[in-house]
């Protein structure tokens, strides 16, 4: 059955690339700006109490070191936005050529990260519009990977397969 959502999923992934790239820019700018320099990210909206730049500075903003998978400050201690950039780039370039189970695994890892980070945002009472946007994108990409993997049962009819086995049983009895 041909997939009709590839174009739409590519749009989601491209938006993910843009948001992740901007998040990397904001994080880099915040980390390397002189103290006297004023910088306000587009996602810092004071009227809403939203501040992505402050959220990016939290320990959870570098999940690989937060969970002890890499040492703090190592070359692999990258911001979550860099991991997102890699994920969305994979989705845009090679995801459709990967086996369905691997696509689902990759999308599930991204979704699990989003769930963890969303819970952290709620616990800390932080509003990060850019973060929530990427969580929504990850949820949509995960859903596509789930549906296309056949895990949902769509595309196969259980009554058809039951009918087939009953039909075979009847043939054997005759």
């Amino acid at each position: 059955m041909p997939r009709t959502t590839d174009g739409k999923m590519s749009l989601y992934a491209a938006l993910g690339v843009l948001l992740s790239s901007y998040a990397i820019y904001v994080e880099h700018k915040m980390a390397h700006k002189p103290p006297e320099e004023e910088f306000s990210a587009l996602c810092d909206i004071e009227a809403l109490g939203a501040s992505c730049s402050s959220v990016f500075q939290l320990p959870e903003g570098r999940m690989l070191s937060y969970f002890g998978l890499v040492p703090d400050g190592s070359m692999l201690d990258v911001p979550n936005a860099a991991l997102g950039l890699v994920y969305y780039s994979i989705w845009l370039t090679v995801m459709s050529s990967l086996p369905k189970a691997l696509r689902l695994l990759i999308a599930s890892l991204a979704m699990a990260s989003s769930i963890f980070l969303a819970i952290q945002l709620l616990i800390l009472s932080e509003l990060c519009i850019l973060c929530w946007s990427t969580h929504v994108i990850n949820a949509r990409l995960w859903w596509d990977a789930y549906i296309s993997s056949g895990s949902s049962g769509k595309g196969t009819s259980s009554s058809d397969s039951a009918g087939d086995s009953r039909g075979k049983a009847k043939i054997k009895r005759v």
Side-chain angles (χ1 to χ4, degrees):
M1 174 179 220
R3 288 178 33 121
T4 58
T5 59
D6 281 342
K8 190 181 284 187
M9 292 307 103
S10 292
L11 288 175
Y12 283 112
L15 182 56
V17 165
L18 290 172
L19 292 174
S20 295
S21 298
Y22 184 70
I24 291 169
Y25 166 75
V26 169
E27 186 164 354
H28 180 78
K29 187 75 171 171
M30 293 300 294
H32 296 91
K33 73 175 184 68
E36 66 276 356
E37 182 182 324
E38 292 258 344
F39 174 74
S40 180
L42 295 174
C43 49
D44 290 344
I45 306 169
E46 194 173 328
L48 297 176
S51 177
C52 63
S53 58
S54 66
V55 169
F56 296 158
Q57 303 305 312
L58 295 172
E60 293 87 341
R62 292 175 179 264
M63 282 194 345
L64 294 179
S65 61
Y66 180 80
F67 286 114
L69 300 174
V70 300
D72 272 336
S74 79
M75 187 174 80
L76 296 176
D77 184 20
V78 296
N80 295 342
L83 300 174
L85 184 60
V86 169
Y87 171 63
Y88 299 125
S89 297
I90 287 171
W91 194 282
L92 284 171
T93 57
V94 298
M95 193 68 117
S96 63
S97 66
L98 297 176
K100 290 178 181 181
L102 183 56
R103 286 195 324 227
L104 182 58
L105 174 65
I106 293 168
S108 294
L109 290 171
M111 191 66 235
S113 298
S114 278
I115 291 169
F116 168 77
L117 292 170
I119 290 170
Q120 292 300 99
L121 287 172
L122 293 172
I123 290 170
L124 298 170
S125 298
E126 291 284 350
L127 178 58
C128 175
I129 294 170
L130 193 150
C131 302
W132 283 104
S133 299
T134 59
H135 299 330
V136 168
I137 290 169
N138 287 349
R140 186 58 183 96
L141 293 175
W142 176 85
W143 183 250
D144 182 71
Y146 176 74
I147 293 298
S148 70
S149 74
S151 298
S152 67
K154 284 192 174 186
T156 61
S157 170
S158 58
S159 63
D160 287 347
S161 31
D164 287 348
S165 64
R166 279 187 236 126
K168 288 178 185 173
K170 287 180 184 177
I171 292 171
K172 289 180 184 176
R173 281 190 233 152
V174 173

